[in-house]
Amino acid sequence: MAEGTTTRALVLGGGGPVGIAWELGLAAGLAAGGVELRDADRVIGTSAGSITGAMLQSGEDPSVLVADVEQLVAGGAASSGADAVSSDGLARFMELTFEGAAVDGAEAEAAHRRAIGTFALGAETIPEDAFVDTIGGVLAERPWPQGFACTAVDAATGDFRVWDAEAGVPLERAVASSCSVPGVYPPVTIDGARYVDGGVRSALNADVATGCDVAVVISVMVLELPPGIDDPRIARLLGSMQTQVEALEASGTEVALIVPDMEFLVLSGFGMSLMDFSLLDAAAASGQRLGRAEAERVARVWNR
C-alpha cells in the first residue's frame, strides 16, 4: 500500500450502555498511546457501537467524552425510563440469540431474525418517541458524521440494513434503530418499516468493513469462551463473530482485534451486566487502561 492511500475502518460492536463507556474509554486510552480512532475513513457501529461511533466520528475528543460519560449516557435514560431494563425481556432476547447461533443457512437465519422481530414488536417497552428522543439527547443534534454507518434489522422481514449518510435517515433515528434491543426497547420506525438492533444479525457485523485496507475491530464480548466456562450455545455465538473477523482478514483487510481483558469481564459480569447504568464510570476507566496497554500493538496496524 502506498503511503497516504491506506483506508481505515473502525468496527464497534454492541454491548449496552456499559459497552458504550468501555469503547469510549478504549478510544481515549488508545489516543493517549498515539492511536487516533477519529482518523477512520469508515466507522461501522452496531447497537452500543453505533452511539460510540457517531460521537467519535463527529470529531469529539474521547477523553472529554469519558470525563462526562455517566451524564452523557445515563442522564437522558433516567428521565425517559430507558434505564429501567426489563430483565425478562433481556433474558428472552439472549435465549433467542443463543438459539440463532445454531441456525444454519441464509434462509433459516432470516427466518430466525423475523422471529426475534416478532418478539420485539409484541414486547412492552417505553414509547418509541421517548426512546428516539433519548438517543437524540445523547447525540446532541450532531449532523451525520462523514464515513459513519450503523446497522439494523427489519423486524418484519429480517432484512439487514446498513444506514449511512446516503440513506437520508435522521442520525438519532438510525442510531436508535441500531440500539433497539428486542424485548427491552421499542422497534424504531423508518420509512414505514420498523427496525431493531443490528445485533440481531451479529454483535459485530465486521464483514461490513470489507474493502478497507486496515481495520480496528472492537468487540465488547470475548470471541472464545474464558477458562472454566463450558456452554456450547455461547461458544457457537462467539465463534460466529470470530468467523466474521477471519473472513474480513481473508478478504485482504489487516485487522487489529480488541476484546475485553479479565478486568472488564469481571466488571461486566462476563457480559451479564452490560445493561447496568451504574457501571459506566468504572467501565470507561477499565477501557482506558486497556487502550493504553494495547496502543503499541494496534498502532502497528492503524498508523501504517
Side-chain angles (χ1 to χ4, degrees):
M1 291 176 287
E3 185 178 354
T5 63
T6 302
T7 55
R8 298 176 175 86
L10 172 62
V11 176
L12 294 158
V18 175
I20 297 170
W22 183 70
E23 289 175 336
L24 289 174
L26 273 173
L30 288 167
V35 177
E36 186 51 78
L37 296 181
R38 292 179 295 175
D39 290 341
D41 299 290
R42 191 167 194 208
V43 174
I44 300 102
T46 292
S47 200
S50 69
I51 293 180
T52 305
M55 290 191 288
L56 292 177
Q57 200 67 354
S58 294
E60 301 284 348
D61 184 336
S63 65
V64 173
L65 294 171
V66 163
D68 196 33
V69 69
E70 185 170 358
Q71 178 57 37
L72 183 69
V73 177
S79 60
S80 69
D83 62 343
V85 175
S86 167
S87 57
D88 289 343
L90 183 60
R92 180 56 182 153
F93 172 55
M94 292 308 302
E95 286 296 323
L96 288 168
T97 300
F98 293 144
E99 291 173 11
V103 171
D104 189 25
E107 289 187 9
E109 290 170 2
H112 188 73
R113 292 196 294 270
R114 289 194 294 272
I116 295 178
T118 299
F119 161 65
L121 289 166
E124 292 187 12
T125 67
I126 64 173
E128 179 183 342
D129 287 346
F131 179 57
V132 174
D133 288 347
T134 299
I135 299 299
V138 174
L139 297 177
E141 299 184 352
R142 291 174 173 84
W144 195 283
Q146 183 176 358
F148 171 72
C150 61
T151 65
V153 168
D154 188 312
T157 67
D159 292 342
F160 179 61
R161 281 297 301 258
V162 178
W163 304 118
D164 57 17
E166 294 182 1
V169 178
L171 180 63
E172 68 275 9
R173 192 159 285 274
V175 171
S177 74
S178 189
C179 294
S180 174
V181 181
V184 177
Y185 298 128
V188 173
T189 305
I190 297 175
D191 294 334
R194 302 193 74 193
Y195 291 88
V196 294
D197 198 321
V200 169
R201 177 183 185 256
S202 166
L204 268 185
N205 294 304
D207 54 316
V208 180
T210 299
C212 290
D213 297 317
V214 302
V216 169
V217 177
I218 297 176
S219 175
V220 182
M221 295 182 285
V222 292
L223 300 190
E224 57 184 26
L225 285 175
I229 298 179
D230 184 16
D231 188 324
R233 303 175 309 156
I234 300 176
R236 283 194 297 266
L237 177 65
L238 302 182
S240 67
M241 292 189 288
Q242 180 65 54
T243 297
Q244 280 189 348
V245 175
E246 291 170 355
L248 181 59
E249 291 177 312
S251 75
T253 300
E254 186 175 2
V255 176
L257 173 66
I258 303 177
V259 298
D261 57 4
M262 187 55 67
E263 177 188 356
F264 182 70
L265 285 177
V266 172
L267 172 69
S268 65
F270 288 81
M272 300 307 292
S273 300
L274 291 172
M275 300 297 292
D276 186 344
F277 283 80
S278 71
L279 299 177
L280 297 178
D281 283 338
S286 175
Q288 282 184 286
R289 286 188 285 271
L290 181 58
R292 294 189 193 100
E294 291 278 44
E296 183 176 355
R297 177 181 69 86
V298 174
R300 290 195 289 270
V301 173
W302 192 251
N303 294 341
R304 294 187 62 165

